[in-house]
Amino acid sequence: MSFELPPLPYAYESLEPHIDTMTMQIHHDKHHAAYVTNLNNALKDTPAASLSIEDLLKEISKHPMAVRNNGGGHYNHSMFWQLLSGKGGGAPTGALADAINATFTSFDEFKKTFGNAGITRFGSGWAWLCVNGGKLVVCSTPNQDNPLMDIADCKGTPILGLDVWEHAYYLKYQNRRPDYVAAFWNIVNWDEVAKRFASAK
Ligand code: MN
């Protein structure tokens, strides 16, 4: 058994103009593919090779750094593709909207808090919206860490994530990470976030 690169759930160009086609091609076909290959190589002939990705992450401290970096990279990107849609954007509705308003006072305040988590992450990493103990929390992690990992500073079940590695935006936005973060809101697949929120609660 080994991990596989999931296909993008839409065409490379479908997130234009917010995320450009070439970034999507390189990000999925090269970066994500490399995480999968390197994860499989790191796990080869070890008992951990039969674990699910979630089980691997929750005891990641027991594994070598190559498993942490590439296992996180595989999980994070598999989730990220699902969270985006060319038909996305707008605002959440229903129970998720209620929880965001109750926690952050408004959707705009939530966007500020989440956006700042991404913008202020030094170097490479991710911004997250998580459910922890039934509550919504925003945080960020370095590198390919995520809140499912036992070593993470912020814990929880991630329901929205934003990749702020330069490879995610540099071709189109160069050093303007805040512009990429602003564009992200136009392509968030809130139906997918709501689904993850419902199952994480
Ligand atoms: Mn990435």
Side-chain angles (χ1 to χ4, degrees):
M1 281 211 332
S2 57
F3 292 103
E4 284 179 13
L5 179 67
L8 265 191
Y10 36 73
Y12 297 108
E13 64 270 23
S14 59
L15 305 178
E16 292 269 10
H18 309 292
I19 300 181
D20 60 287
T21 303
M22 189 183 281
T23 294
M24 290 303 292
Q25 288 168 335
I26 296 171
H27 202 175
H28 177 270
D29 296 4
K30 306 293 183 195
H31 289 278
H32 189 175
Y35 296 126
V36 174
T37 300
N38 294 335
L39 176 61
N40 287 330
N41 287 340
L43 291 172
K44 203 167 180 223
D45 301 326
T46 72
S50 62
L51 293 176
S52 70
I53 189 74
E54 288 83 1
D55 285 344
L56 206 52
L57 298 180
K58 76 183 182 203
E59 296 194 323
I60 203 69
S61 59
K62 295 181 176 171
H63 299 280
M65 193 55 92
V67 175
R68 174 170 162 183
N69 289 338
N70 294 292
H74 177 43
Y75 180 92
N76 295 347
H77 289 84
S78 299
M79 177 176 178
F80 188 51
W81 311 134
Q82 302 283 339
L83 293 168
L84 303 177
S85 168
K87 300 181 188 107
T93 56
L96 175 59
D98 294 345
I100 285 175
N101 291 334
T103 308
F104 303 98
T105 70
S106 69
F107 181 52
D108 282 343
E109 284 301 314
F110 159 71
K111 288 205 291 184
K112 248 185 251 173
T113 302
F114 183 96
N116 281 336
I119 290 164
T120 60
R121 164 51 56 190
F122 184 75
S124 298
W126 291 74
W128 303 104
L129 173 64
C130 301
V131 177
N132 190 355
K135 293 209 167 86
L136 290 176
V137 189
V138 163
C139 65
S140 79
T141 54
N143 306 314
Q144 294 297 354
D145 289 355
N146 69 43
L148 294 175
M149 293 180 173
D150 58 355
I151 45 79
D153 292 334
C154 73
K155 301 266 187 352
T157 304
I159 62 169
L160 178 65
L162 174 59
D163 187 345
V164 295
W165 283 57
E166 286 185 346
H167 70 221
Y169 63 87
Y170 213 83
L171 289 179
K172 183 178 173 78
Y173 296 96
Q174 293 85 47
N175 61 320
R176 303 186 307 278
R177 187 188 289 185
D179 291 356
Y180 160 71
V181 172
F184 166 72
W185 298 115
N186 295 308
I187 47 171
V188 174
N189 181 352
W190 287 110
D191 291 342
E192 178 66 23
V193 183
K195 214 166 73 185
R196 290 171 183 267
F197 174 63
S199 71
K201 281 197 79 185

